[in-house]
Structures are given as structure tokens and as C-alpha cells.
Amino acid sequence: MRRRVLWLLAALASAGAGARSDLSDDDLERVRSITAPAADFSAAEPFETMQAGAATIKKLINADIFSHASGNLSFEGRQQFLVGNGLFRKDWVSAPSSTQASDGLGPLFNARSCQACHVKDGRGSVPGFDPLERTDAVALLLRLAVPAAAPAGTALSAAELAALPDPVYGSQLQNFSVAGLPSEGRVEVDYTPVTVPLAGGETATLMRPAYRIEDLGYGPLHPEVQISPRLAPPMIGLGLLEAIHEDDILANAAQDKGDGIRGKPNWVQDLRTGRQVLGRFNWKAGQPTVEQQSASAFSNDMGLSSPLFPSHYGDCTAAQPSCAEMPHGAQPHLGEHEVPGRLMDFVTFYSKNLAVPQRRDADDARVLAGKKLFYEANCIGCHVPKYVTRRDAKQPEHQFQLIWPYTDLLLHDMGDGLADGVSEGQASGRQWRTPPLWGIGLTAQVNPNATYLHDGRARNLLEAILWHGGEAQAARDRVVEMTPAERADLIRFLESL
């Protein structure tokens, strides 16, 4: 294994950063040197504890650790952040209401606020694994898709065919509605335990989910509809992810990572420019910017209009005429949208500047041993440790920062076990974007009920690893083959992020 790892690290180091049109030749060499994969695991790397560069914060570890402003924001920036925080947390109400500028919710919706899904700016919660402790699914959304047929005379792969929304229920199931209108349905999840043997005599029990929709409010779903559950992810560091240079992401896609790993970019439409650009956000990299992701959530999750998504009726379809007859909340004296552009700017600024906490125990011997195992298992084939952000990033606080998000922001085939069958842009039903790992060790501090993966099926980090398949199968199998002490060290490393 060690010989293979040395070869892999040498290959990745020689590939270096991308062309980087924003850097001089001297700066590019510096960036390539500092972002080369670690080869010495006897001590922490320089600046490794500062996961988000100068934006990193060192605060008291408690449930609010994901809710702080980036450490390098100016006084004026902090004022914008606080206004955005208020908008992110506020509950919207249905129209008409005496509370003007806060109405327009729905008519169909999943949550009344952004914070309802992103619990304390961290992960959402699934309904629960214990049937006696089930709660309503708020942060767990169900995307709906009907496979599109290829035009006559063409031979397109499934990944090249755009999925269509359900003709009645649209692209997402909304399990709540305003008064006088039926909701679309209720999400139910059944779990089947799956035992996985591990080296050293240990076992792990995975929970395989099966989803169904009860109490459909508008008749049957399309007979070929596919369901994709999506759990609200953490919000930290999003602006810095947006500031990673496209050339570096595409360079990751061009590299030979070993084990059959081949990351793929998802090219999606930027609604501001109309151009096809690199997707970075959401579980399948279906959104290119924090602004567009935020506006999409306002529209689909809460039924609120904004400049990028101007419909006042969210995901209502032509098959739901009563939905479009409900009053909306746009106020003529405030603008034509329920969330006017100025308010969207505040929410976007807030979302781009939630701080990444400082690493803990980076010099601990067991953490360093776990880091070495992380590299040796080739987890870095997808979870690329570090980048230097663009010199010309839109926000000065995001410019030229050494960051450690542990992601390549690319799509990977994750195997049958995690496949949802739903395509999104150029992402197939087996592909998912590599999620960032920074802050993952503080998940339970922020939300004790939080779980992992795109649908929250993994109750702990080891379960999340064991669900990996496809391009990650070899890395997953190396974790299975580790001794119990080695697996414990690997988890210690992840918990330090």
C-alpha cells in the first residue's frame, strides 16, 4: 500500500494547481508548492489549523459555532451579515398579512424559514430512525423527476437526458401548504438494517432507507417518477468555495487519481448571465453560485419570488390551478418580488460569510495517524485537501486565501447503494458532488440529531464511509480492512476537521 500511496502523491504533486489566469508565474509556483499533498505525517502542516485562511474563527465550541461571521469581515461587512442573519432566521407567513414584507409564503412550501432546514446553519435532521420518535420531515426534501425520452434517431446516455418534473407535483414535493389549499403529500421513511463485517472482528449496522409518499393531495404521481431525498447541508465556508478558481477544479478532473476515480464537472446555467458555467453547490453541483442556490431555495422550499426566480407561486404546476389562485405577498411599494433584490443581497452575503471554525488537535499523534490513513486509503482522490482561492475573487475577504475544505467540487459515481436515479444537469442518477469535510467534526455540537450523506441515512462517520461505492469502493474497502485501532484513528482525524 505504501508504494502505491507514494506514487499517487507524486502524481498529484506534479499535477499541481490549474493554469490560474489570475496568478503570475511566481505566484503559481508558490500555490502549487503549498497545495501539494502532504508527504510527512509527523506534524501538522503549516497553517493547517486555519481551515479557512484569514476567515477562520476561534470561538467557544457550542451549538452556535457555525453561526459566526468570517473572521476577516470589516465592520461594514459585519453589519450586512447581521441583517442577512435576521432574514435567514425569520419566519415567513402567508398572504395577505398585516406583517407586510414578511408575507407570501407558499402557497406550497417545505419550511417557513431558511433556518428551519439548516439547523443553526448546520445540517438538517431526518424524520428519525426510531418509529416511536418520528417527526415531520422539514429539512429532508424529496426531488421528483420523470425520465426524459431521447429524441427520435438519437442515441443519448441517461446522463445526457435532462429529467423532467412530475407533471402534477413539479420538481419537488411540498409537504405543507397555506390555509385553504391541500399540501402535496407526506414523506415516510422505512429503514432496513444491513450488517457489514469489518476486519478485527467488528461489525457495523447500516440503515437502508426506502421512501414513500402518503396522503397525496392532487392525485397519483407519474408512474415513472423517481424520488431523490435531499437533506439540508451545512452553510459554512460557501463564499470561499465560490472563490476557488475554476482552473483548479478542472485540473482535478483531468488528473489520474488512481482506483478508477475520475471527477466530472457539472455545467449548469447561470441565470444572471445565461451562460453555461461550472456548478459547485447542492448535492449534485446543480447550482453555480451562492446567490442562485439561495434564490432557488426561496422559490422551491418556501414559494417566495425573487429576481432570479420571479414566480410568486414557487413549484405550483398547471395541474394545480387552485395554487395559482392564492394571493401572493409582493408589495408594490417594495418591488415586484416577495424577496426583493436588496433582501436577496443580504441573505446571499450572510450565506457567503458564515465562518469555518479552527481545526482542533491537528498535532495530536492519533489525529496525525488518522490523517496518514486518510491519504493511504486514497480518500484524497475526491476529498482534495486544500486550495488557494482566486486573487480576483469578488469579495476582498475571499481573495488569495489558503483553505482546507477537503473536496474537489466534482461529480463522482458513488455506486448502486447511493444511487437515486435522478439526473441533474450533467449529473447522472449515480453521481454526487464531493461534499466538503471542513467542520464535520462539530456536526453533533451544532445539531445533536444531525446525520450524514445526502439523505441522512448514516448515523455516524463510519457508516457514511461504508456507504461509499462506485469510484470510492476501493477506498471504502481499505477502511473495512483496517484494524479497529486504525479505524478509530481515521475517525479521530475526521472529527478534528
Side-chain angles (χ1 to χ4, degrees):
M1 176 185 285
R2 179 171 176 77
R3 182 178 300 173
R4 183 191 64 80
V5 171
L6 291 175
W7 167 83
L8 175 65
L9 294 181
L12 294 178
S14 65
R20 293 295 297 269
S21 58
D22 63 318
L23 300 179
S24 67
D25 290 344
D26 287 344
D27 276 348
L28 183 58
E29 285 306 309
R30 289 171 56 204
V31 168
R32 284 176 172 168
S33 175
I34 200 168
T35 57
D40 178 6
F41 302 96
S42 62
E45 297 173 73
F47 314 113
E48 189 172 4
T49 58
M50 301 294 287
Q51 296 191 98
T56 310
I57 56 158
K58 185 178 182 180
K59 297 281 188 179
L60 179 67
I61 303 298
N62 58 24
D64 295 320
I65 191 59
F66 285 174
S67 298
H68 298 287
S70 294
N72 57 350
L73 275 186
S74 65
F75 175 80
E76 292 78 8
R78 289 179 181 275
Q79 301 311 302
Q80 293 183 61
F81 179 88
L82 290 173
V83 175
N85 182 26
L87 294 169
F88 195 84
R89 292 172 178 270
K90 85 166 181 174
D91 287 336
W92 293 80
V93 297
S94 57
S97 169
S98 59
T99 310
Q100 292 191 356
S102 289
D103 64 348
L105 179 71
L108 299 169
F109 61 95
N110 295 99
R112 293 180 176 274
S113 70
C114 307
Q115 191 78 195
C117 293
H118 301 277
V119 178
K120 288 189 172 292
D121 305 296
R123 297 169 190 271
S125 301
V126 297
F129 293 94
D130 185 344
L132 298 178
E133 298 178 359
R134 291 291 170 88
T135 58
D136 285 336
V138 174
L140 183 71
L141 309 175
L142 292 189
R143 294 286 178 85
L144 306 175
V146 177
T154 64
L156 300 178
S157 69
E160 295 173 305
L161 294 174
L164 302 174
D166 183 272
V168 174
Y169 290 89
S171 61
Q172 183 170 306
L173 185 84
Q174 279 85 25
N175 47 345
F176 297 105
S177 60
V178 299
L181 190 72
S183 65
E184 291 189 321
R186 176 169 51 86
V187 180
E188 290 289 341
V189 192
D190 298 314
Y191 293 96
T192 302
V194 179
T195 301
V196 178
L198 307 172
E202 295 185 338
T203 60
T205 301
L206 306 184
M207 302 298 283
R208 184 185 301 279
Y211 298 90
R212 67 183 192 277
I213 302 172
E214 302 286 354
D215 302 330
L216 286 166
Y218 298 86
L221 291 157
H222 189 281
E224 296 182 63
V225 73
Q226 295 165 316
I227 295 172
S228 178
R230 308 285 179 90
L231 185 65
M235 300 285 295
I236 58 173
L238 298 184
L240 291 165
L241 295 178
E242 191 172 292
I244 295 174
H245 201 287
E246 180 180 291
D247 289 345
D248 286 347
I249 299 171
L250 297 180
N252 285 329
Q255 290 176 19
D256 179 2
K257 302 295 187 72
D259 295 330
I261 296 172
R262 199 66 163 188
K264 170 186 167 181
N266 194 4
W267 297 99
V268 300
Q269 186 180 37
D270 185 327
L271 295 180
R272 280 212 169 274
T273 65
R275 295 187 298 112
Q276 291 293 110
V277 297
L278 186 67
R280 300 169 188 249
F281 302 104
N282 220 326
W283 286 105
K284 294 204 176 195
Q287 297 293 352
T289 64
V290 176
E291 178 193 30
Q292 190 163 313
Q293 169 61 29
S294 302
S296 173
F298 270 119
S299 177
N300 290 326
D301 303 350
M302 291 183 280
L304 295 165
S305 58
S306 67
L308 290 183
F309 291 86
S311 172
H312 301 314
Y313 302 100
D315 197 34
C316 292
T317 70
Q320 300 167 325
S322 56
C323 186
E325 295 170 359
M326 304 301 289
H328 61 75
Q331 308 290 337
H333 63 289
L334 297 176
E336 56 185 309
H337 306 110
E338 292 160 320
V339 186
R342 182 61 173 149
L343 296 191
M344 273 303 314
D345 290 344
F346 281 123
V347 172
T348 300
F349 189 88
Y350 174 77
S351 301
K352 291 174 70 169
N353 290 283
L354 282 158
V356 178
Q358 189 176 39
R359 276 278 304 277
R360 288 116 10 246
D361 304 321
D363 267 322
D364 179 83
R366 299 271 58 87
V367 169
L368 290 167
K371 178 182 175 181
K372 183 171 183 287
L373 291 164
F374 187 85
Y375 274 62
E376 288 179 344
N378 199 17
C379 300
I380 65 167
C382 301
H383 292 283
V384 175
K386 48 189 168 175
Y387 301 85
V388 173
T389 59
R390 305 180 64 113
R391 270 204 181 278
D392 56 356
K394 293 180 181 178
Q395 189 176 321
E397 291 87 351
H398 298 155
Q399 293 173 356
F400 210 55
Q401 298 296 316
L402 173 62
I403 63 173
W404 306 70
Y406 286 90
T407 177
D408 60 5
L409 295 176
L410 296 170
L411 300 168
H412 295 274
D413 183 333
M414 295 299 292
D416 291 334
L418 294 178
D420 65 350
V422 174
S423 61
E424 185 173 336
Q426 295 176 344
S428 75
R430 292 169 57 94
Q431 292 176 321
W432 300 94
R433 182 205 67 160
T434 306
L437 297 182
W438 53 10
I440 199 167
L442 297 172
T443 297
Q445 289 281 347
V446 175
N447 179 4
N449 297 318
T451 49
Y452 305 89
L453 297 179
H454 68 278
D455 56 1
R457 69 176 69 186
R459 295 166 295 177
N460 54 55
L461 293 173
L462 179 59
E463 288 185 23
I465 294 169
L466 296 176
W467 273 111
H468 283 48
E471 295 175 41
Q473 185 70 43
R476 176 260 187 205
D477 291 347
R478 292 182 190 110
V479 176
V480 170
E481 294 162 4
M482 290 176 185
T483 67
E486 287 173 334
R487 281 193 295 273
D489 287 344
L490 176 65
I491 299 303
R492 285 190 185 97
F493 165 68
L494 294 174
E495 290 174 344
S496 76
L497 297 178

